[in-house]
Amino acid sequence: MSETIDWNDFIKVDMRIGRIVDVRDFPEARKPAYILTVDFGPLGIRKTSAQITNYAKEGLLSRDVVAVFNFPPKQIGPLMSEILVLGGVEKDGTVRLLKPDPDCELGSRVA
């Protein structure tokens, strides 16, 4: 279990609704991963590396996701990762992506 945080801690995490618009293999990654390009509507497009190869690339394309938007960019091999796509991590390490309501507007803040 994690330590308790207050509201001010929570609102520091800027989580946004985005849509995956491109999925590419990322052979340079240490662990199997994809490069995702995610559209956040009026907030623009961001890229990230994601260790979610339990999903088929075709199944990820056009999928809505929740992502942390305000992490500093992180160099992962040749990619500058700009966001963190969120999912539930199962006991075996498998990641299951969070699914926002299909009516959420791209770029909407999660609160």
Side-chain angles (χ1 to χ4, degrees):
M1 190 150 172
S2 302
E3 72 176 85
T4 301
I5 63 172
D6 65 23
W7 180 253
N8 290 326
D9 292 326
F10 175 74
I11 61 171
K12 290 178 187 175
V13 182
D14 187 5
M15 294 175 281
R16 300 287 178 153
I17 306 300
R19 180 168 296 133
I20 299 172
V21 295
D22 190 44
V23 182
R24 296 178 189 249
D25 292 322
F26 192 14
E28 299 90 351
R30 281 186 268 155
K31 294 183 180 180
Y34 295 133
I35 295 174
L36 305 179
T37 303
V38 183
D39 181 4
F40 291 93
L43 301 176
I45 292 177
R46 303 279 176 101
K47 289 188 178 185
T48 190
S49 169
Q51 296 173 1
I52 53 170
T53 55
N54 51 300
Y55 290 91
K57 288 191 288 187
E58 301 78 27
L60 291 170
L61 198 57
S62 299
R63 182 186 175 115
D64 288 352
V65 293
V66 177
V68 175
F69 205 72
N70 63 334
F71 276 142
K74 180 179 181 181
Q75 191 73 47
I76 301 174
L79 174 73
M80 183 61 73
S81 183
E82 302 169 297
I83 56 171
L84 174 66
V85 174
L86 299 178
V89 181
E90 298 178 348
K91 291 177 187 174
D92 67 357
T94 301
V95 176
R96 304 284 178 200
L97 294 174
L98 300 183
K99 289 183 182 180
D101 187 291
D103 293 330
C104 284
E105 294 178 0
L106 297 183
S108 294
R109 186 169 181 149
V110 176

